[in-house]
């Protein structure tokens, strides 16, 4: 392991998380630690997962099989801002589909792809428990909810994110 | 205005803080429980209340609590299911976001009743903002002596933690949730043994929904009989309904169980009627997993009685003409909505979310999605409609967990009540969804 992702950098937090479970059940800290690793690096390279395995005294495969099961973890490099837009029924009934197409046209990439400048990836996700205020998207690592989305709101959001870079 | 148990103070400024929450009477149930009541006395009150699990299955909470195995020396756990991922359902997120202490108070009082010394709230990972709110509120509760060692000077101690998920609908299923909390893939376990005997870390465990747990303080404060006096028959108390779709006022409403469906859809107190002056076409009353009903059957039962918002009335007529109260995710479709397209979207969802352990679900959900896709996109055949019915039937009852049923029921019910619409898609593909035919919602897994 060459680079350190979280071991030293987030030491106190990691110790605090591990203390929440019985001493012989450290593995319970796996999902929280994967979130921290992704927060630090934007996505989860094998090295980062190996480091998590090392911290929790489990085999690397136990980390890989979990990371690949859950949709929030990115196992490949991905845009700096991952626009996670809900594509489930109730949101589509209030315009989510049209909005996803608008986003594709605006950014010049299809769903699942990343813009050439590496800033944005459009990632469709399933119901975010915001169906009454759809269409909705969120952006990690804060995962703030952007609700009642319109084209204007999207334009504004993308502008703001571009300006911040 | 109906009785409010959970949302009475929702609009009080600062209700998300401990100070204001306590000013409004919050945490009284913790004081009463640890000072004046035995754990068993609380379980008795919950039994008397008739409270049924608000996560979807409607299992009597008091009975579930009384199954908790107390014959071992193993620790006992209470785990709150805050995975809320059933399409159409957004009540738990609303409650936790607005009144986090309502859940925390419920967790403390319930943990005391169950003899748990460590409890977890499992929140879906996408709800990071809610996790931050809960963690802040928990910190406040520790500082006030409501959590930690010797709660309010009593001999009872409790630690409470929030656990994030990683994005997986299946982790709402209680045994998948426990697997996930143990740091594993969310594969549901075979039952029995039930969590009451073999739950978290192989210890006796109760898993309850956010709303169920948030109802407990009121029951402890006012007594089970007072709770049972609200509602109709075996549908006691209030229920949070998250209403969405083509209505004038989408949102989360607390209803007294027993109001009519018609009142819920059309009155200004709730949904405020169908948006844009259109007509009601269909309703999915309890989250995407329950059977869809057309207008006539959601408003009245097959016996021509007004349909009520209760467990019994909504399921009146069985699956032939009824549905379920489920999670309270109330999705309304107006006359312009295409049932085939909506069904295809739901099937895509279930296929995406199947954990893959059981072949009928893993293969069947994908097959249904494929067939619905070709009907929706103009390549369907008449036989496809019965094929869908047969696939749905072959998933039902043949899987470890009910995700299989959740995927099968919507398809079976949509064809039962809207067969003509499926036929029309096959016969004349351009008649309905033409605007979608040239561009489809891209899939990615
Ligand atoms: C596929 C699937 C998803 C579920 N999702 C949830 C959920 O998000 N929240 C929830 O409380 N219950 C969910 N349930 C129900 C739980 O398994 C369990 O019945 C519930 O948490 C028990 O709590 P209650 O008795 O308080 O309702 C789900 C069940 C299945 C089969
Ligand atoms: S369907 Fe998009 S948040 Fe529920």
């Amino acid at each position: 392991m060459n680079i350190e992702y979280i071991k030293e950098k987030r030491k106190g937090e990691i110790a605090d998380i591990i203390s929440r479970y019985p001493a012989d059940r450290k593995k319970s800290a796996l999902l929280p630690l994967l979130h921290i690793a992704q927060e630090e690096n934007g996505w989860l390279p094998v090295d980062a997962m190996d480091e998590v395995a090392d911290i929790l005294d489990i085999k690397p495969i136990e980390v890989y099989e979990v990371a690949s099961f859950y949709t929030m973890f990115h196992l490949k490099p991905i845009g700096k801002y991952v626009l996670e837009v809900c594509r489930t029924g109730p949101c589509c009934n209030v315009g989510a589909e049209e909005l996803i197409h608008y986003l594709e046209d605006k950014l010049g990439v299809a769903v699942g792809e990343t813009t050439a400048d590496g800033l944005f990836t459009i990632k469709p996700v399933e119901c975010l428990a915001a169906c009454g205020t759809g269409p909705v998207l969120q952006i990690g690592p804060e995962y703030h909810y952007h609700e009642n989305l319109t084209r204007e709101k999207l334009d504004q959001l993308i502008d703001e994110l571009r300006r911040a870079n | 205005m109906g009785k409010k148990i959970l949302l009475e103070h929702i609009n009080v400024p600062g209700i998300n803080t401990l100070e204001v929450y306590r000013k409004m009477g919050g945490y009284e149930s913790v004081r009463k429980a640890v000072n004046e009541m035995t754990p068993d006395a609380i379980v008795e009150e919950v039994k008397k209340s008739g409270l049924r699990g608000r996560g979807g299955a409607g299992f009597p909470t008091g009975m579930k609590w009384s199954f908790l195995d107390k014959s071992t020396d193993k620790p006992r756990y209470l785990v709150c299911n805050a995975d809320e991922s059933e399409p159409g359902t957004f009540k738990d997120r609303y409650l936790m976001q607005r009144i986090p202490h309502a859940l925390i108070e419920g967790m403390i009082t319930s943990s005391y009743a169950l003899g748990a010394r460590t409890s977890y709230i499992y929140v879906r990972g996408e709800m990071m903002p809610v996790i931050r709110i809960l963690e802040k509120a928990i910190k406040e509760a520790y500082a006030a002596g409501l959590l930690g060692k010797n709660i309010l000077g009593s001999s009872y101690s409790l630690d409470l933690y929030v656990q994030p998920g990683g994005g997986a609908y299946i982790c709402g299923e209680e045994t998948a949730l426990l697997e996930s909390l143990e740091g594993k893939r969310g594969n549901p376990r075979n039952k029995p043994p039930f969590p009451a005997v073999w739950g978290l870390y192989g210890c006796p465990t109760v898993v309850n929904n956010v709303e169920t747990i948030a109802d407990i303080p009121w029951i402890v404060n006012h007594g089970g009989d007072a709770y049972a006096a609200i509602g109709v028959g075996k549908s006691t108390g209030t229920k949070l309904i998250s209403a969405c779709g083509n209505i004038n006022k989408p949102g989360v409403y607390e209803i007294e169980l027993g109001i009519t469906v018609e009142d819920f859809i059309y009155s200004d107190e709730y949904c405020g009627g169908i948006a844009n002056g259109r007509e009601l076409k269909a309703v999915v009353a309890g989250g995407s997993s329950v059977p869809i009903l057309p207008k006539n059957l959601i408003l009245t039962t097959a016996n021509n009685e007004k349909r009520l918002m209760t467990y019994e009335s909504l399921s009146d007529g069985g699956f032939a003409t009824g549905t379920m109260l489920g999670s309270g995710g109330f999705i309304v479709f107006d006359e312009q909505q295409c049932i085939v397209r909506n069904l295809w979207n739901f099937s895509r969802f279930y296929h995406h979310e199947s954990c893959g352990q059981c072949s009928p679900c893993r293969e069947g959900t994908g097959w249904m999605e494929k067939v619905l896709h070709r009907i929706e996109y103009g390549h369907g055949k008449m036989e496809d409609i019965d094929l869908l019915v047969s696939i749905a039937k072959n998933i039902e009852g043949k899987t470890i967990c009910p995700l299989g049923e959740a995927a099968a029921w919507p398809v079976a019910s949509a064809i039962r009540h809207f067969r003509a619409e499926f036929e029309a898609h096959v016969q004349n593909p351009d008649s309905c969804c033409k605007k979608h035919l040239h561009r489809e919602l891209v899939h990615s897994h």
Side-chain angles (χ1 to χ4, degrees):
Chain A
M1 231 174 289
N2 306 322
I3 331 165
E4 282 236 335
Y5 290 88
I6 56 172
K7 206 170 181 173
E8 287 305 319
K9 210 164 167 187
R10 308 285 289 259
K11 198 172 184 172
E13 215 175 321
I14 292 171
D16 174 58
I17 290 170
I18 291 174
S19 77
R20 298 171 185 174
Y21 320 102
D24 57 344
R25 297 290 183 171
K26 260 162 82 169
K27 188 175 172 179
S28 278
L30 181 47
L31 290 183
L33 261 52
L34 287 176
H35 281 297
I36 291 180
Q38 182 158 294
E39 196 178 308
E40 285 295 335
N41 194 62
W43 64 286
L44 294 175
V46 170
D47 279 359
M49 293 193 276
D50 290 349
E51 189 182 307
V52 169
D54 182 49
I55 296 170
L56 296 179
D57 298 321
I58 56 180
K59 295 190 212 77
I61 180 69
E62 294 179 74
V63 180
Y64 310 156
E65 66 170 8
V66 165
S68 59
F69 182 86
Y70 295 93
T71 56
M72 290 180 77
F73 301 119
H74 315 310
L75 303 185
K76 288 187 200 135
I78 197 161
K80 178 168 181 188
Y81 303 108
V82 184
L83 308 171
E84 310 205 10
V85 200
C86 174
R87 61 163 172 189
T88 312
C91 272
C92 285
N93 288 349
V94 290
E97 237 181 307
E98 289 77 4
L99 217 59
I100 291 174
H101 291 323
Y102 177 72
L103 205 50
E104 287 179 318
D105 294 342
K106 184 178 170 70
L107 297 176
V109 292
V111 149
E113 296 176 352
T114 301
T115 52
D117 58 7
L119 274 188
F120 301 103
T121 306
I122 311 174
K123 181 181 170 193
V125 296
E126 304 298 347
C127 181
L128 292 170
C131 332
T133 46
V136 54
L137 73 73
Q138 51 176 192
I139 304 169
E142 294 84 13
Y143 296 99
H144 174 75
Y145 279 70
H146 298 268
E147 297 169 81
N148 294 308
L149 280 178
T150 56
R151 289 178 178 209
E152 294 67 42
K153 279 192 192 173
L154 267 183
D155 288 345
Q156 210 181 334
L157 179 65
I158 301 288
D159 281 350
E160 271 167 30
L161 293 174
R162 277 200 178 122
R163 261 202 306 277
N165 279 276
Chain B
M1 282 276 277
K3 177 89 199 154
K4 302 278 181 270
I5 286 175
L6 296 167
L7 303 186
E8 189 182 356
H9 304 303
I10 193 89
N11 291 320
V12 174
I15 193 68
N16 59 328
T17 64
L18 181 74
E19 192 193 342
V20 175
Y21 182 73
R22 277 188 115 168
K23 231 178 245 162
M24 303 312 295
Y27 287 102
E28 165 60 16
S29 78
V30 174
R31 189 204 60 76
K32 187 170 172 183
V34 300
N35 290 319
E36 297 168 13
M37 292 176 82
T38 63
D40 285 346
I42 297 177
V43 176
E44 270 320 300
E45 291 306 319
V46 174
K47 273 192 191 162
K48 271 197 259 173
S49 74
L51 174 65
R52 294 165 67 169
R54 303 303 195 214
F59 191 83
T61 306
M63 200 188 296
K64 183 188 265 189
W65 287 16
S66 65
F67 290 156
L68 191 67
D69 184 4
K70 295 186 177 155
S71 67
T72 82
D73 332 323
K74 290 184 191 171
R76 286 172 231 147
Y77 291 103
L78 171 63
V79 177
C80 174
N81 187 342
D83 193 60
E84 192 169 64
S85 320
E86 169 94 355
T89 315
F90 48 98
K91 66 190 179 71
D92 297 338
R93 174 173 162 248
Y94 178 79
L95 187 68
M96 292 186 285
Q97 193 165 281
R98 300 284 293 264
I99 322 185
H101 286 287
L103 174 59
I104 295 163
E105 177 178 2
M107 285 299 287
I108 301 169
T109 305
S110 305
S111 297
Y112 172 77
L114 296 166
R117 296 304 174 113
T118 307
S119 297
Y120 299 95
I121 304 173
Y122 180 100
V123 185
R124 62 181 295 189
E126 294 91 336
M127 289 193 203
M128 281 305 172
V130 171
I131 291 176
R132 291 192 289 268
I133 290 170
L134 286 174
E135 282 183 335
K136 186 164 165 230
I138 287 174
K139 213 176 250 174
E140 286 182 301
Y142 268 102
L146 291 157
L147 272 170
K149 283 219 158 33
N150 303 108
I151 290 174
L152 298 179
S154 73
S155 62
Y156 180 63
S157 304
L158 173 70
D159 283 311
L160 177 62
Y161 303 111
V162 181
Q163 176 83 356
Y169 166 67
I170 191 59
C171 289
E173 194 282 333
E174 57 185 11
T175 60
L177 185 152
L178 295 174
E179 288 286 298
S180 180
L181 182 44
E182 292 182 4
K184 302 179 201 154
R185 295 164 73 94
N187 287 346
R189 301 174 180 168
N190 262 308
K191 294 192 265 190
F194 288 92
V197 175
W198 187 271
L200 183 63
Y201 310 134
C203 299
T205 302
V206 165
V207 181
N208 272 132
N209 172 258
V210 170
E211 183 185 351
T212 313
I213 290 172
D215 277 328
I216 301 299
W218 197 95
I219 293 170
V220 168
N221 290 338
H222 300 85
D225 289 332
Y227 191 86
I230 307 164
V232 179
K234 286 189 175 164
S235 295
T236 61
T238 67
K239 173 90 187 83
L240 295 180
I241 306 288
S242 60
C244 67
N246 311 116
I247 47 177
N248 283 317
K249 290 168 56 196
V252 177
Y253 299 102
E254 180 171 16
I255 61 159
E256 277 188 38
L257 288 167
I259 65 169
T260 65
V261 173
E262 189 175 354
D263 192 30
F264 184 68
I265 296 176
Y266 292 102
S267 87
D268 281 335
E269 197 180 337
Y270 307 113
C271 302
I274 309 303
N276 304 311
R278 295 195 189 130
E279 275 291 312
L280 171 62
K281 177 174 185 177
V283 170
V284 169
S288 60
S289 306
V290 310
I292 186 169
L293 288 183
K295 177 179 178 177
N296 60 330
L297 283 175
I298 188 67
L299 296 178
T300 55
T301 67
N303 298 326
N304 233 354
E305 283 162 18
K306 275 195 186 295
R307 186 99 58 190
L308 308 181
M309 298 287 284
T310 63
Y311 293 94
E312 293 72 25
S313 179
L314 281 166
S315 59
D316 185 285
F319 278 6
T321 57
T323 181
M324 290 159 78
L325 179 62
S327 64
F330 198 89
I331 313 169
V332 178
F333 302 91
D334 72 22
E335 56 191 323
Q336 297 197 354
Q337 287 296 330
C338 169
I339 299 297
V340 177
R341 188 160 187 84
N342 275 284
L343 242 282
W344 164 65
N345 191 307
F346 284 149
S347 283
R348 185 196 50 68
F349 171 82
Y350 289 108
H351 179 214
H352 182 256
E353 299 300 331
S354 171
C355 80
Q357 276 193 112
C358 315
S359 29
C361 172
R362 182 186 60 237
E363 303 301 324
T365 52
W367 196 3
M368 289 196 299
E369 179 196 348
K370 219 161 104 183
V371 175
L372 279 161
H373 181 267
R374 71 173 175 245
I375 298 178
E376 165 65 10
Y377 284 88
H379 314 294
K381 296 180 285 242
M382 261 333 179
E383 311 87 89
D384 282 343
I385 302 172
D386 285 331
L387 175 61
L388 283 170
V389 175
S390 132
I391 302 171
K393 204 172 277 159
N394 280 300
I395 299 176
E396 252 187 275
K398 297 188 179 64
T399 52
I400 292 175
C401 92
L403 189 137
E405 278 83 22
W409 290 343
V411 173
S413 61
I415 296 178
R416 193 178 305 126
H417 300 300
F418 295 96
R419 185 178 269 269
E421 214 169 305
F422 287 82
E423 290 171 354
H425 270 73
V426 173
Q427 282 163 339
N428 183 5
D430 287 352
S431 64
C432 175
C433 296
K434 197 174 173 189
K435 69 177 159 99
H436 297 302
L437 288 178
H438 54 281
R439 190 163 184 184
E440 75 175 278
L441 187 54
V442 182
H443 303 214
S444 79
H445 285 269

